[in-house]
Amino acid sequence: MLVELSEWFWQERLWFPEGLGWADLEDRDGRVYAKGRDLWVALPIALVFLIIRQIFERTVAAPLASLLGVKETVRLKAPHIPSLESYYCRVTKNPTQSSVASLCKQTGYSERQVQRWFRRRRNQDRPSLLKKFREASWRFTFYLLAFIAGLAALIDVNISLVQTLLPSQYWYYMIELGFYGSLLFSVASDVKRKDFKEQIVHHVATILLISFSWCVNYIRAGTLIMLVHDSSDYFLESAKMFNYAGWRNACNYIFIVFAAVFIVTRLIFFPFWIIYWTWIYPVTIYPPFFGYYFFNGLLMILQCLHIFWAILIIRIAIRFLTNNEKVDDDRSDKDETDESEEEEEEAGDKKHAKKNGPMQNGHTVHNNNHSKTE
């Protein structure tokens, strides 16, 4: 069954234009071509990346964070209340007003206390600045090194239509594929942002593009696509690092550079050169085939994601340029209350306690050593 499915999936009429097939990608006359079986190398590379990341974050990112003044976020912990904890984990993290009233009857707490408990409990689940910094520094390091490696691989690319596979291209492909594989493996523990689903779609589309372009020897197109994506990402990650460190001006200006590079590479270069080249040029030589539509369909998915992210980026950049506001990532969750609000609530609770006696069940939670750094 699996053999028949594999033979049907890899049939030549799906992935090659008429007159070409897998036999044309066999090594001959000193030319070496990419092989589908080479992609298995990306799996151990992905696992190695996960190990290297843990070592990097502890031995490099953490000391760097300390040097730049990034500290672990200190948050008030919500007291353990079994009924509220059960509702938070099993039902919803954001109860409605009617649900809050019902929980008040169950627990004997006031409406304000229940609402505050849920705010603090949600804040506990949000990643700390240090975790965000460590993740950003890891991605910054990879994207920068990958961009440099991509330039080196691109220099090696032969301009002829029929080209041999070079060692620089092989390792560039395997390392990029392994890295995006490691991102999928670590998605459960990474910082979750509002565009989490879009990120998953992006990673899957990228892995499919890299794998497909490798199997059918679209090496030049694949190298250019990966290079375009790496060209702006390290600017974004460095801006995040400075943002978490509180270096406002450095963050703002690096973000503007990132926005400019992103727009030029992904809204101009990517669609009007790369997609144009993969969409228009092949049909001048061969009639369209399934692999042609499949490859360009994945490119269009990426382009739709580029437009989605470009809207967010432009909105942030305009807000900074017109109002000189601090650059903030709209995709990030922020703590729902600031220190002044907590103190105001505490003061109100104390005043209420003095007037009417201790609160029910004696749960007045004080705001000790609480600071909002996110």
Side-chain angles (χ1 to χ4, degrees):
M1 180 68 179
L2 292 177
V3 174
E4 293 178 355
L5 181 62
S6 176
E7 290 178 353
W8 175 86
F9 182 80
W10 292 112
Q11 56 185 312
E12 294 181 344
R13 68 182 183 87
L14 290 178
W15 306 112
F16 290 91
E18 186 177 353
L20 295 178
W22 298 111
D24 295 285
L25 296 182
E26 294 295 329
D27 298 344
R28 67 171 67 86
D29 300 328
R31 293 194 181 97
V32 178
Y33 297 99
K35 308 292 189 303
R37 60 180 178 271
D38 295 335
L39 297 178
W40 290 107
V41 176
L43 285 178
I45 291 178
L47 297 177
V48 170
F49 267 126
L50 292 175
I51 297 173
I52 294 176
R53 175 177 176 175
Q54 293 299 318
I55 298 173
F56 176 88
E57 290 187 356
R58 294 179 183 182
T59 61
V60 178
L64 181 60
S66 178
L67 182 65
L68 295 178
V70 180
K71 298 180 180 179
E72 190 72 68
T73 306
V74 179
R75 293 191 177 101
L76 284 173
K77 290 186 177 181
H80 181 68
I81 305 174
S83 57
L84 296 184
E85 185 69 28
S86 176
Y87 189 92
Y88 179 88
C89 296
R90 298 180 181 179
V91 183
T92 179
K93 300 178 181 180
N94 297 278
T96 62
Q97 189 65 31
S98 59
S99 298
V100 169
S102 176
L103 291 170
C104 289
K105 293 179 181 179
Q106 294 179 28
T107 61
Y109 288 95
S110 68
E111 184 177 303
R112 173 177 287 183
Q113 285 177 295
V114 172
Q115 291 172 339
R116 183 193 302 157
W117 187 92
F118 274 94
R119 283 199 303 271
R120 290 178 177 173
R121 186 64 181 83
R122 287 192 293 267
N123 286 340
Q124 279 181 229
D125 285 347
R126 290 187 171 88
S128 66
L129 279 181
L130 182 58
K131 177 178 175 60
K132 291 180 179 180
F133 181 90
R134 289 165 60 175
E135 181 178 312
S137 61
W138 163 248
R139 296 194 185 206
F140 164 77
T141 302
F142 175 82
Y143 289 136
L144 178 60
L145 295 178
F147 177 68
I148 296 173
L151 289 176
L154 188 63
I155 293 174
D156 282 343
V157 172
N158 194 316
I159 61 174
S160 63
L161 289 176
V162 181
Q163 60 182 44
T164 185
L165 177 67
L166 301 174
S168 60
Q169 296 170 319
Y170 174 85
W171 287 111
Y172 183 53
Y173 258 80
M174 295 303 110
I175 289 174
E176 285 276 357
L177 187 58
F179 176 75
Y180 281 102
S182 72
L183 291 183
L184 282 183
F185 292 152
S186 64
V187 69
S189 59
D190 286 346
V191 175
K192 289 183 175 60
R193 305 183 187 276
K194 294 178 182 178
D195 64 344
F196 173 76
K197 294 180 180 179
E198 290 81 2
Q199 287 282 359
I200 294 296
V201 172
H202 174 270
H203 295 339
V204 172
T206 301
I207 289 173
L208 289 176
L209 270 171
I210 294 174
S211 302
F212 176 75
S213 65
W214 178 264
C215 288
V216 295
N217 206 44
Y218 291 178
I219 303 300
R220 288 184 299 166
T223 301
L224 280 171
I225 292 168
M226 291 187 289
L227 182 64
V228 164
H229 283 73
D230 291 335
S231 63
S232 61
D233 286 342
Y234 63 90
F235 284 113
L236 175 61
E237 299 303 331
S238 61
K240 289 181 183 179
M241 292 168 62
F242 284 115
N243 181 39
Y244 302 146
W247 293 33
R248 176 178 175 181
N249 289 334
C251 167
N252 290 350
Y253 292 116
I254 292 177
F255 183 85
I256 296 301
V257 174
F258 157 74
V261 175
F262 184 96
I263 291 172
V264 170
T265 56
R266 303 202 192 186
L267 297 187
I268 299 176
F269 184 85
F270 186 79
F272 294 109
W273 186 15
I274 294 181
I275 293 183
Y276 177 84
W277 181 62
T278 60
W279 190 268
I280 302 298
Y281 178 73
V283 295
T284 63
I285 304 176
Y286 306 106
F289 55 102
F290 176 79
Y292 163 82
Y293 292 114
F294 179 78
F295 185 71
N296 284 284
L298 291 175
L299 292 183
M300 293 306 298
I301 291 176
L302 283 184
Q303 186 56 33
C304 289
L305 292 173
H306 294 165
I307 295 172
F308 169 79
W309 284 317
I311 294 173
L312 298 180
I313 292 167
I314 293 173
R315 185 170 61 186
I316 297 172
I318 291 176
R319 192 167 64 230
F320 163 67
L321 292 174
T322 56
N323 301 320
N324 196 28
E325 294 181 6
K326 179 182 177 182
V327 169
D328 284 320
D329 191 350
D330 287 347
R331 304 171 304 155
S332 298
D333 285 335
K334 299 177 178 62
D335 285 5
E336 299 174 61
T337 58
D338 58 23
E339 188 172 5
S340 60
E341 182 182 343
E342 290 284 350
E343 290 177 348
E344 187 180 56
E345 288 186 358
E346 293 294 342
D349 286 340
K350 290 179 181 178
K351 182 178 180 180
H352 180 75
K354 288 181 180 179
K355 183 177 181 179
N356 300 316
M359 283 186 275
Q360 294 179 0
N361 297 337
H363 284 281
T364 301
V365 184
H366 297 283
N367 184 24
N368 297 323
N369 302 321
H370 185 54
S371 62
K372 295 293 177 187
T373 55
E374 293 183 88

